[in-house]
Amino acid sequence: MATRLLFLARHGEQEETGAEAPEVGLSARGRRQATLLGERLRGARLDAVHHGPLARAAETAALVAAALPGVPVHQDDRAGDHMPHDTDPTGLPERHAAFLAEFTAEERREGPVVTAEAVARFATAPASGDVRELVVTHSFLVAWLVRHALEAPERRWIGLNPANCALTVIRYSDAGPPALIALNDPAHLPPDLRATGFPADYHF
């Protein structure tokens, strides 16, 4: 049986700059999150680490890989921060429609193309053997791949909120449909580093 075990992680918390510019790296909390993620994955027997081109993803991948000697690290534009689907806002809650309205025509056109390439590369069973890969990416792609694995409606990528450096794991096999093994698992992070961006009273 050919199997791909795909580990997905959103990058660590980024520096507070007021904007998500490509060159913005990780905050001190984000670096700690990434380091702990690497320690969690020491025994995962990964074949490779892939990451998107933005600084916050690249820095996260480098910190994770520091705990995984010998595991190759690859930058891949398909793991970047892009709109996964040009979703029709009709019938969606007002806040979701407002969120979708923030994307440009170019992002609506190009994002789904790159996302389809990411699905073709990462979200399939391999030709043979047992492949284990980590993709350090952004919240949109994690949400899309979860939606894809569950065969949920396309609009359901909206509303999924992967925490920084939490783990989502999906198994792809030539013996059946994808299996969601873990979703947004932060067990390697202490409470004060979990659920970045959530209200302070969420932590428990």
Side-chain angles (χ1 to χ4, degrees):
M1 182 172 67
T3 301
R4 183 188 311 280
L5 201 58
L6 184 67
F7 295 77
L8 296 166
R10 183 184 178 188
H11 59 80
E13 180 188 82
Q14 68 186 57
E15 291 183 287
E16 290 291 339
T17 64
E20 293 193 353
E23 67 275 9
V24 174
L26 301 181
S27 66
R29 281 167 50 86
R31 290 190 291 274
R32 180 63 178 151
Q33 289 168 334
T35 298
L36 290 171
L37 175 58
E39 293 176 4
R40 169 84 182 272
L41 291 171
R42 283 183 191 275
R45 297 187 288 112
L46 293 175
D47 298 301
V49 175
H50 306 271
H51 65 84
L54 300 186
R56 54 191 181 273
E59 187 177 354
T60 300
L63 289 168
V64 170
L68 308 172
V71 177
V73 180
H74 308 286
Q75 178 175 308
D76 194 318
D77 289 349
R78 293 169 291 191
D81 193 13
H82 38 75
M83 184 184 194
H85 181 261
D86 186 8
T87 304
D88 183 352
T90 304
L92 291 177
E94 183 177 342
R95 62 189 177 88
H96 288 174
F99 162 72
L100 290 170
E102 296 175 359
F103 291 92
T104 66
E106 181 180 9
E107 289 170 330
R108 291 174 178 275
R109 181 177 62 255
E110 296 183 359
V113 174
V114 181
T115 300
E117 293 172 354
V119 169
R121 167 58 183 85
F122 297 113
T124 60
S128 62
D130 177 18
V131 176
R132 298 179 174 219
E133 297 176 304
L134 168 67
V135 177
V136 178
T137 182
H138 303 264
S139 60
F140 294 167
L141 184 58
V142 176
W144 182 261
L145 291 175
V146 169
R147 181 223 65 81
H148 176 268
L150 296 176
E151 299 182 356
E154 291 168 328
R155 61 176 52 192
R156 289 304 293 126
W157 71 275
I158 305 169
L160 293 176
N161 188 21
N164 294 101
C165 285
L167 270 178
T168 291
V169 185
I170 305 173
R171 183 176 62 218
Y172 302 92
S173 166
D174 58 3
L180 185 60
I181 304 300
L183 176 64
N184 222 12
D185 176 5
H188 49 287
L189 302 175
D192 63 311
L193 292 181
R194 298 179 186 177
T196 305
F198 282 25
D201 59 0
Y202 175 84
H203 301 281
F204 54 84

